[in-house]
């Protein structure tokens, strides 16, 4: 199943869009199956889960951290991840820079935008993004490769469109500044139910879990689609 799902998704994605397999709560064997089917990027929400998966899958693929990163986990995260998608504060950036320097690395990061401006969610507020990036690009062991957003949860992918569009606007504006240390090449947005809309709105990286691996164990089934597929 995983194999077929990956092949179908890869065939359907435009060539400029990178697939990140969101692997939270999957077994290392499931992750390996996805890799054998052609997945090149793995997204992990938890440092320990990622370490367990890497022990089976190896470092031949790239590992993205896509969860909420606590400062006390940064050292380990810098050891085992190739990119951190969820930087949303100077404090976190400083810690990543420090730990990367200790390990002789330059860590690529994406800035997570709280595009729905939801108080309980992580991510920098849209209007604070530029100030944060201007601070982060001064750190020499970190580089800003682009932006990431989740957007508010909704059963209807069309509801996500304005948040994706807002994030793309910020992305384009920051890109046009050509800040040294901020290549702004990756725009990570869209999950299983919303990635088609995200790609239409300019995402070049999508994070897909459920449609690769099936419903997460112990999770309620997603809401039934109310609209026909386009
Ligand atoms: C779980 C997760 C995804 C994938 O969600 P699906 O709905 O299973 O595709 C994408 N991004 C992040 C940050 C996640 O935690």
């Amino acid at each position: 199943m995983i194999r077929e799902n990956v092949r179908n998704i890869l065939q359907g994605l435009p060539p400029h869009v990178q697939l990140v397999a969101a692997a939270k709560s999957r077994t290392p064997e499931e992750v390996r199956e996805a890799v054998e089917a052609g997945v090149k990027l793995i997204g992990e929400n938890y440092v320990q889960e990622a370490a367990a998966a890497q022990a089976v899958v190896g470092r031949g693929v790239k590992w993205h951290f896509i969860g909420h990163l606590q400062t006390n986990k940064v050292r380990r995260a810098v050891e085992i991840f190739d990119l951190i998608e969820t930087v949303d504060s100077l404090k976190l950036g400083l810690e990543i820079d420090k730990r990367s320097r200790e390990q002789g690395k330059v860590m690529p990061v994406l800035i997570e935008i709280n595009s729905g401006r939801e108080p309980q969610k992580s991510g920098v507020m849209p209007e604070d993004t530029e100030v944060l990036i201007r601070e982060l690009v001064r750190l020499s062991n970190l580089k800003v490769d682009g932006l990431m957003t989740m957007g508010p949860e909704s059963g209807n992918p069309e509801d996500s469109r304005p948040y994706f569009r807002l994030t793309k606007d910020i992305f384009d504006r920051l890109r046009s500044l050509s800040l040294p240390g901020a290549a702004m090449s990756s725009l990570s947005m869209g999950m299983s139910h919303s990635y088609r809309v995200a790609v239409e709105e300019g995402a070049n990286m999508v994070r897909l879990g459920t449609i690769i691996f099936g419903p997460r164990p112990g999770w309620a089934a997603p809401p039934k689609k109310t609209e026909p597929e386009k």
Side-chain angles (χ1 to χ4, degrees), residues 65-70 74 77-78 83-97 100 107-114 122-125 128-129 132-133 135-137 139 142-149:
F65 186 82
I66 63 171
H68 178 68
L69 188 53
Q70 291 165 308
V74 168
V78 166
L83 185 147
I84 296 172
E85 293 204 17
T86 49
V87 173
D88 62 356
S89 71
L90 180 59
K91 181 177 175 237
L92 181 56
L94 284 167
E95 185 68 16
I96 293 171
D97 181 61
S100 300
M107 179 59 69
V109 304
L110 306 185
I111 307 306
E112 181 177 2
I113 312 272
N114 186 349
S122 22
V124 62
M125 287 297 166
D128 299 331
T129 310
L132 175 60
I133 291 182
E135 289 169 332
L136 292 174
V137 295
L139 309 177
L142 164 162
K143 64 190 177 95
V144 180
D145 268 5
L147 303 181
M148 178 272 207
T149 199

Side-chain angles (χ1 to χ4, degrees), residues 40-105:
K40 302 273 190 284
L41 307 174
I42 312 290
E44 291 278 2
N45 295 61
Y46 305 102
V47 173
Q48 256 162 333
E49 207 172 87
Q54 281 184 6
V56 171
V57 178
R59 295 296 295 264
V61 289
K62 299 264 188 207
W63 297 80
H64 287 197
F65 186 82
I66 63 171
H68 178 68
L69 188 53
Q70 291 165 308
T71 322
N72 64 350
K73 299 274 170 66
V74 168
R75 189 185 53 78
R76 187 73 175 122
V78 166
E79 281 171 12
I80 69 171
F81 287 97
D82 299 294
L83 185 147
I84 296 172
E85 293 204 17
T86 49
V87 173
D88 62 356
S89 71
L90 180 59
K91 181 177 175 237
L92 181 56
L94 284 167
E95 185 68 16
I96 293 171
D97 181 61
K98 176 181 159 191
R99 299 303 182 181
S100 300
R101 187 169 324 103
E102 286 173 4
Q103 297 177 34
K105 288 186 175 178

Side-chain angles (χ1 to χ4, degrees), residues 20-24 26 43-46 65-68 85-86 112 148-150 188 190-195 206-216 219 222:
V20 177
K24 62 173 171 283
R26 313 302 178 171
E44 291 278 2
N45 295 61
Y46 305 102
F65 186 82
I66 63 171
H68 178 68
E85 293 204 17
T86 49
E112 181 177 2
M148 178 272 207
T149 199
M150 301 272 287
S188 172
M191 303 171 34
S192 289
H193 74 293
S194 61
Y195 77 98
V206 294
R207 307 177 310 270
L208 309 182
T210 309
I211 61 165
I212 293 178
F213 299 105
R216 276 186 283 284
W219 288 52

